[in-house]
Amino acid sequence: MKKRIALLIGHPDKKSYNYALAAAYKKGAIASGFEVQEIRIADLRFDPNLKYGYRKSMELEPDLVKSQEILKWANHWVWVYPVWWGGVPAMLKGFIDRVLLPGFAFRKRENSVWWDKHFKGVTASIICTLDQPSWYYTWINRTPSHHAMKKLTLQFIGVQKVRITTIGSLRLSKPAFRAKWLQKVERLGELCK
């Protein structure tokens, strides 16, 4: 099956290194003949606040409807974002809250604690940047954002194979470090990993 990639960019600043990483991944993926559609969270017009929780539905804005269509079309999702305060940026969290809704991403079973996962068969990659060394985030902070995205979000809706690439420390990095990672991420795109 040909890979169809949804490339989700969660950094609010289009001049950030995260955008360069996303462009490198896309370049590699296209070079390998994969199809890529981007979702740039910063470009979307939507209310990131799930005002009523799941008690009452909010009408989806056109950008969110289009995002759902891209997610349904893709068989591999690539999330590119910085880790801030041990989690994802606020707009990305709001996007997840508003898009991966019951009925679309999963369905709770009546009179049961269990649910049906609507994205079985989809794979995912997470490429995230840190201001701290990746070893510190792993061994001292215990990777809270990785657990939240992989297990509590993606696996919850059926995405089973989730590969995580952590890049840090970015804040004190030199141009050679950043260039090396751009090459590595382009290679990940070529391999669709």
Side-chain angles (χ1 to χ4, degrees), residues 146-165:
H146 295 358
H147 291 291
M149 280 296 289
K150 180 178 180 176
K151 187 166 183 66
L152 302 174
T153 303
L154 298 174
Q155 290 180 347
F156 183 88
I157 63 172
V159 179
Q160 287 304 308
K161 294 180 182 178
V162 180
R163 177 190 171 98
I164 301 175
T165 301

Side-chain angles (χ1 to χ4, degrees), residues 12 14 33 35-37 41 51 53 61 67 81 85 89 94 98 106 133 139 145 157 164-165 167 177:
K14 295 176 195 168
E35 296 178 62
V36 180
Q37 290 193 52
I41 310 300
K51 291 179 184 174
E61 294 86 346
S67 296
Y81 57 85
W85 296 105
R98 293 289 318 283
F106 66 97
W139 294 106
S145 68
I157 63 172
I164 301 175
T165 301
I167 304 168
F177 175 88

Side-chain angles (χ1 to χ4, degrees), residues 7-25 79-84 89 127-130 167 170 178 182 185:
L7 180 57
L8 299 104
I9 309 166
H11 200 297
D13 182 0
K14 295 176 195 168
K15 294 182 180 178
S16 72
Y17 184 64
N18 281 244
Y19 273 81
L21 290 167
Y25 188 97
W79 302 79
V80 182
Y81 57 85
V83 173
W84 289 345
I127 301 167
C128 59
T129 57
L130 305 165
I167 304 168
L170 195 59
R178 291 176 180 231
L182 289 174
V185 168

